[in-house]
Amino acid sequence: MKPTDPPVNSAHPERGKGLVLPLSGKLPAGILGLDSYIAAATGSLTLTTSAADVTGVTVTLIKIGTYLITAVFDMEHSVAGAGVAIGELVLGGTTQVGQALAHEGAVRVTVPQVWLVTTTALNTIAKLQAKKSINAGTATANVTHTKIVALLVG
């Protein structure tokens, strides 16, 4: 899609202006230079009602700019009563708006969340934290599928 191409859906002109990747899996030449960061959990976290770092799911955003950050939390409720398992992004020490939520009825689920954030300092830390809403039951952010990906987009 070229910048001069019309939007995909004329009823929603804001749609269709994003990057369209070819189905072959090959990236267009202009995207090969993207700054990207990825980290996977290295340990599971048993949740409490206070947010805590999920071990290993931390990246350092070395440039000032706008980042598209995607996270997936592998949440599990093994003993009823924990309420909601909550995954959050902390950027430069500040918890960002938008949570990944897994109600205890889900038992185990991978929950995604996406944030568009702007850094104002070099080497800004982005990390995932998790907690539960009720001080009962058992909920865990598992090591298996918990990940963060950050792309510098502007």
Side-chain angles (χ1 to χ4, degrees), residues 5 13 20 38 42 48-49 51 57 59 66-67 98-100 102 104 107-108 138 150 152:
D5 290 346
V20 177
I38 187 169
T42 56
T48 68
T49 55
V57 198
V59 293
T66 300
Y67 290 84
Q99 298 174 319
E104 66 183 0
V107 182
R108 185 169 182 183
T138 303
L152 180 64

Side-chain angles (χ1 to χ4, degrees), residues 70 126 153:
T70 303
V153 295

Side-chain angles (χ1 to χ4, degrees), residues 37 59-69 89-92 96 116-126 150-154:
Y37 309 85
V59 293
T60 301
L61 308 176
I62 63 172
K63 295 181 179 178
I64 294 171
T66 300
Y67 290 84
L68 179 65
I69 299 180
L89 171 67
V90 177
L91 182 71
Q96 301 301 298
L116 187 63
V117 299
T118 301
T119 59
T120 57
L122 298 173
N123 300 313
T124 300
I125 302 297
L151 297 172
L152 180 64
V153 295

Side-chain angles (χ1 to χ4, degrees), residues 40-150:
T42 56
S44 293
L45 173 67
T46 300
L47 306 185
T48 68
T49 55
S50 297
D53 294 353
V54 181
T55 306
V57 198
T58 300
V59 293
T60 301
L61 308 176
I62 63 172
K63 295 181 179 178
I64 294 171
T66 300
Y67 290 84
L68 179 65
I69 299 180
T70 303
V72 176
F73 294 85
D74 181 349
M75 300 292 205
E76 181 175 13
H77 290 272
S78 56
V79 177
V84 178
I86 303 164
E88 300 175 318
L89 171 67
V90 177
L91 182 71
T94 302
T95 302
Q96 301 301 298
V97 174
Q99 298 174 319
L101 304 173
H103 189 272
E104 66 183 0
V107 182
R108 185 169 182 183
V109 63
T110 50
V111 185
Q113 183 56 275
V114 178
W115 299 268
L116 187 63
V117 299
T118 301
T119 59
T120 57
L122 298 173
N123 300 313
T124 300
I125 302 297
K127 63 183 178 178
L128 299 184
Q129 291 190 337
K131 62 184 178 181
K132 62 183 179 178
S133 63
I134 299 174
N135 193 20
T138 303
T140 307
N142 289 314
V143 65
T144 311
H145 305 293
T146 301
K147 295 178 175 53
I148 187 172
V149 177

